[in-house]
């Protein structure tokens, strides 16, 4: 059977670190198993769903490289939901309820005050035909609940959490439809997973209790029950993910010059017993993905880890992977020279400015100026090649007796205006003969 996973964001906001991680897990599992990855847009909430968020979600997924094999929106599926609803109604698995929000709130408060769990008391099932008629006459329209079967515990073997068991009477019958006819998340999601043959539902552990109810919905619809994997939630370094960290998304990554590969490498392994590695090729991470290695403890997200991983990844990126975002005149050799000196791509321009000049030179003393004059004259006489730096420093060592820092530092300073930076053997050929000579000449004056 082909694996099918789905990522089902609601277009009521941008993707954030938590749901990017869920998207990644689903995508990885589909890719690892040669399966199919669906992007489902959960837009049943007409008020809060916005087209700009749909486009934003698609754009963010593309930036991350999480390609989907098919996509659909729940708003295209209302006929299917209606048909399933009618079937469940005919089977007595959904029932109308007339309580107002305030009445329900009060019931919950009473239960809590008695130290009891705020489970819905199924009061609506006790209503007589007259009471219902009276409510209808009052102008109340019902909302609808799914009637959980109380006869047997709900069990499943979660790929992350292991064997799970829920006692149905401890759960409220979930509201599936509002009085205005609009759908809540629970039933449409189950209908979609059933109709689309989703084999693996991979999501955060905040959905565990939903899964218990949804398993009964699959059964009531006569559908196969998918396999579930609930990953532990993300936490900040010191506890709950702060609002700022929790809402971190692709626009923040771009602003901070975080590469998509770094985001993927971190989120693929965070909270698992496999080490986070600076792997820019996702294939290895996909191949080694294993739900049984996902931990049950919350995974700690630290943006500093992301920045560090990003630097490591940038140091390994080929020219081809970054060329589009480099200064135009920068070629493969220049990228190779500058790459180890940057924490992220945003720093490349500073180094490139040093190649392009003008550079600001320090004040050299007389003796150093004389040395730089010798360097200039020596370089004038040398054949220009990629090995010119070695030839120059070799000749200068011989001629002046200088070595180490005294030999190299004035040259670096004269040629780049800096005390540190790219390997000069790579840098000098990038500067080119004319620029190198001009800078040495100026420094010697
Ligand atoms: N739209 C739901 C959410 O974002 C989907 C949950 C699910 O994966 O079933 O929470």
């Amino acid at each position: 059977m082909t694996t099918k996973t789905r990522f089902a964001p609601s277009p009521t906001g941008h993707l954030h670190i938590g749901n990017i991680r869920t998207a990644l897990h689903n995508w990885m599992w589909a890719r690892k198993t040669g399966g199919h990855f669906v992007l489902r847009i959960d837009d049943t909430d007409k008020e809060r769903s916005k087209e700009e968020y749909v486009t934003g979600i698609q754009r963010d997924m593309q930036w991350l490289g999480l390609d989907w094999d098919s996509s659909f929106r729940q708003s295209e599926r209302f006929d299917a939901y209606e048909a399933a609803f009618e079937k469940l109604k005919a089977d007595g698995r959904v029932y109308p309820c007339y309580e107002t929000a305030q009445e329900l709130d009060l019931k919950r408060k009473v239960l809590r005050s008695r130290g009891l769990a705020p489970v819905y008391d199924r009061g609506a099932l006790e209503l007589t035909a007259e009471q219902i008629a009276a409510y209808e006459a009052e102008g109340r329209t019902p909302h609808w609940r799914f009637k959980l079967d109380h006869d047997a515990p709900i069990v499943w073997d979660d790929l992350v959490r292991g064997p799970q068991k829920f006692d149905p009477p401890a759960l409220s019958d979930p509201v599936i439809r509002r009085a205005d006819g609009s759908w809540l998340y629970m039933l449409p999601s189950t209908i979609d997973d059933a109709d689309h043959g989703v084999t693996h539902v991979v999501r955060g552990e905040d959905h565990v209790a939903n899964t218990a109810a949804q398993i009964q919905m699959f059964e009531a619809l006569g559908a196969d029950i998918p396999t579930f994997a609930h990953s532990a939630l993300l936490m900040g370094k010191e506890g709950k993910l702060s609002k700022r960290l929790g809402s971190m998304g692709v626009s923040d990554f771009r602003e901070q010059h975080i590469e998509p590969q770094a985001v993927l490498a971190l989120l693929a392994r965070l909270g698992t017993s496999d080490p986070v590695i600076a792997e820019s090729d996702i294939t290895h991470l996909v191949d080694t993905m294993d739900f049984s290695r996902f931990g049950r403890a919350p995974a700690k997200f630290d943006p500093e880890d992301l920045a560090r991983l990003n630097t490591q990844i940038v140091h390994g990126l080929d020219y081809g992977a970054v060329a589009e975002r480099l200064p135009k005149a920068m070629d493969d050799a220049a990228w190779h020279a500058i790459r180890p000196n940057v924490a992220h791509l945003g720093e490349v321009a500073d180094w490139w400015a040093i190649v392009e000049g003008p550079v600001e030179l320090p004040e050299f003393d007389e003796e150093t100026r004389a040395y730089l004059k010798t360097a200039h004259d020596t370089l004038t006489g040398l054949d220009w090649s990629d090995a010119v730096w070695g030839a120059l420093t070799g000749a200068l060592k011989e001629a002046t007796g200088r070595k180490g820092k005294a030999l190299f530092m004035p040259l670096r300073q004269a040629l780049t205006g800096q005390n540190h930076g790219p390997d000069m053997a790579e840098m000098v050929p990038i500067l080119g003969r004319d620029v190198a000579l001009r800078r040495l000449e100026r420094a010697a004056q």
Side-chain angles (χ1 to χ4, degrees):
M1 191 170 61
T2 314
T3 306
K4 200 178 226 190
T5 62
R6 89 297 193 273
F7 172 52
S10 307
T12 53
H14 295 291
L15 295 186
H16 51 75
I17 190 95
N19 53 22
I20 290 173
R21 179 161 167 258
T22 300
L24 175 63
H25 291 159
N26 278 285
W27 179 88
M28 287 173 84
W29 189 245
R31 294 295 168 258
K32 177 179 165 121
T33 55
H36 186 106
F37 174 60
V38 184
L39 172 61
R40 184 182 89 199
I41 303 293
D42 282 6
D43 59 349
T44 53
D45 187 335
K46 286 204 180 93
E47 299 272 290
R48 293 175 60 227
S49 299
K50 296 225 161 61
E51 198 53 35
E52 66 183 271
Y53 291 129
V54 177
T55 342
I57 288 167
Q58 292 166 338
R59 212 182 28 233
D60 289 354
M61 302 266 294
Q62 278 157 357
W63 184 82
L64 290 158
L66 304 181
D67 55 330
W68 53 94
D69 303 302
S70 63
S71 179
F72 68 96
R73 298 176 185 219
Q74 290 198 313
S75 57
E76 301 156 4
R77 301 258 306 145
F78 289 135
D79 289 350
Y81 305 153
E82 204 63 56
F85 178 73
E86 287 306 321
K87 172 188 156 47
L88 295 177
K89 202 155 82 176
D91 294 347
R93 291 306 298 272
V94 294
Y95 60 95
C97 304
Y98 292 86
E99 295 94 339
T100 62
Q102 290 88 325
E103 284 164 358
L104 288 172
D105 204 34
L106 191 65
K107 284 190 189 202
R108 282 190 290 262
K109 275 197 184 123
V110 170
L111 288 170
R112 278 204 199 93
S113 70
R114 291 195 205 135
L116 298 170
V119 176
Y120 178 60
D121 64 3
R122 292 189 156 176
L125 287 175
E126 311 296 324
L127 294 175
T128 62
E130 291 78 46
Q131 285 171 312
I132 290 180
Y135 279 138
E136 303 261 338
E138 246 178 60
R140 287 203 201 187
T141 41
H143 57 275
W144 296 79
R145 287 186 191 259
F146 177 78
K147 191 175 166 210
L148 291 169
D149 178 355
H150 282 188
D151 287 348
I154 304 165
V155 295
W156 77 91
D157 205 359
D158 197 282
L159 291 186
V160 176
R161 299 166 62 83
Q164 300 293 296
K165 187 171 174 190
F166 275 81
D167 189 21
L171 302 170
S172 291
D173 287 338
V175 177
I176 51 154
R177 200 169 191 180
R178 297 186 190 89
D180 65 2
S182 65
W183 298 99
L184 279 113
Y185 150 77
M186 292 285 278
L187 183 62
S189 179
T190 310
I191 298 169
D192 289 337
D193 289 341
D195 288 357
H196 284 260
V198 167
T199 61
H200 292 74
V201 172
V202 180
R203 56 191 179 190
E205 68 182 5
D206 48 333
H207 281 289
V208 167
N210 290 341
T211 296
Q214 286 179 328
I215 282 179
Q216 286 210 356
M217 291 182 187
F218 281 106
E219 285 168 343
L221 293 167
D224 290 337
I225 299 170
T227 301
F228 292 91
H230 292 91
S231 53
L233 299 182
L234 284 184
M235 264 197 0
K237 228 173 23 182
E238 273 106 31
K240 215 173 148 251
L241 211 55
S242 68
K243 214 162 179 186
R244 182 182 64 84
L245 282 190
S247 64
M248 193 176 244
V250 168
S251 61
D252 303 286
F253 300 144
R254 297 179 83 137
E255 220 165 85
Q256 294 161 24
H257 304 281
I258 302 284
E259 304 298 312
Q261 292 95 326
V263 179
L264 300 181
L266 182 67
L267 295 184
R269 291 272 176 95
L270 198 65
T272 75
S273 49
D274 291 317
V276 171
I277 45 173
E279 177 65 75
S280 61
D281 180 1
I282 189 82
T283 323
H284 173 69
L285 297 170
V286 167
D287 290 344
T288 53
M289 183 195 189
D290 181 352
F291 282 116
S292 72
R293 301 186 67 82
F294 280 43
R296 291 196 51 179
K300 288 210 173 81
F301 170 65
D302 180 351
E304 280 174 27
D305 292 339
L306 182 58
R308 248 191 317 270
L309 192 62
N310 187 56
T311 301
Q312 285 175 282
I313 285 195
V314 165
H315 291 172
L317 287 179
D318 288 337
Y319 176 66
V322 293
E324 271 174 30
R325 288 177 297 145
L326 297 179
K328 243 202 161 115
M330 239 180 111
D331 61 7
D332 198 339
W335 167 241
H336 195 267
I338 287 173
R339 189 174 72 166
N341 297 277
V342 297
H344 54 72
L345 278 207
E347 291 181 357
V348 172
D350 294 343
W351 286 112
W352 187 245
I354 284 163
V355 174
E356 299 219 300
V359 294
E360 216 174 291
L361 299 184
E363 281 291 321
F364 294 110
D365 60 23
E366 210 180 313
E367 195 191 335
T368 311
R369 289 207 301 275
Y371 169 57
L372 291 169
K373 170 88 172 70
T374 312
H376 172 268
D377 296 346
T378 310
L379 186 59
T380 313
L382 289 175
D383 285 338
W384 191 261
S385 78
D386 279 354
V388 72
W389 175 254
L392 174 65
T393 50
L396 286 173
K397 192 173 177 182
E398 188 103 330
T400 66
R402 287 184 180 236
K403 53 184 196 246
K405 200 172 168 193
L407 176 70
F408 295 109
M409 187 56 91
L411 298 174
R412 176 182 286 286
Q413 289 173 330
L415 289 164
T416 68
Q418 304 292 316
N419 295 331
H420 66 96
D423 181 351
M424 291 304 288
E426 289 188 56
M427 196 64 168
V428 172
I430 293 164
L431 292 175
R433 187 171 193 273
D434 293 348
V435 171
L437 284 173
R438 222 181 307 127
R439 288 187 188 175
L440 287 173
E441 189 174 29
R442 184 159 66 100
Q445 277 164 11

